[in-house]
Amino acid sequence: MGIQGNPSIEALDRKWGNHWRAGCQSELQWYSLRLEVIREIRRVAQAQGTGEDAAMWQVSLQQQQQTRCSLDQFCKLLRASRKARG
């Protein structure tokens, strides 16, 4: 389940592929940035051997308490970090 009862990005991708976000530049940018959070949640879950729910809370706390930046800026930091890791 996504935000406010809407479908999650993963559910939209499974059902519609990239068609649900095609043709709208703002939607593509939103998707691209939020995908960084999804990747980080999965990376943390795998690295720590925890479930994605626990990893989600950990990433959320990281964003709120450690970086203290907007979600948009946090996504950009995650992207830069992922690219630096190779």
Side-chain angles (χ1 to χ4, degrees), residues 7-64:
S8 67
I9 288 174
E10 189 173 36
L12 290 169
D13 278 347
R14 273 195 314 271
K15 184 172 183 175
W16 302 103
N18 66 353
H19 298 290
W20 69 271
R21 60 184 186 273
C24 182
Q25 186 60 35
S26 62
E27 196 71 39
L28 290 170
Q29 184 176 5
W30 180 88
Y31 173 82
S32 174
L33 287 174
R34 295 326 181 255
L35 192 56
E36 294 299 334
V37 174
I38 293 168
R39 287 179 177 143
E40 181 66 6
I41 290 167
R42 289 179 178 156
R43 187 191 71 76
V44 168
Q46 183 178 15
Q48 296 183 356
T50 64
E52 289 183 358
D53 283 347
M56 179 209 49
W57 286 109
Q58 186 174 352
V59 170
S60 178
L61 285 173
Q62 177 187 358
Q63 185 255 331
Q64 293 172 16

Side-chain angles (χ1 to χ4, degrees), residues 44-82:
V44 168
Q46 183 178 15
Q48 296 183 356
T50 64
E52 289 183 358
D53 283 347
M56 179 209 49
W57 286 109
Q58 186 174 352
V59 170
S60 178
L61 285 173
Q62 177 187 358
Q63 185 255 331
Q64 293 172 16
Q65 295 176 350
Q66 294 174 1
T67 63
R68 296 176 192 244
C69 59
S70 69
L71 182 58
D72 184 65
Q73 186 61 37
F74 184 63
C75 293
K76 291 173 183 174
L77 290 171
L78 290 174
R79 177 179 286 160
S81 176
R82 183 176 53 82

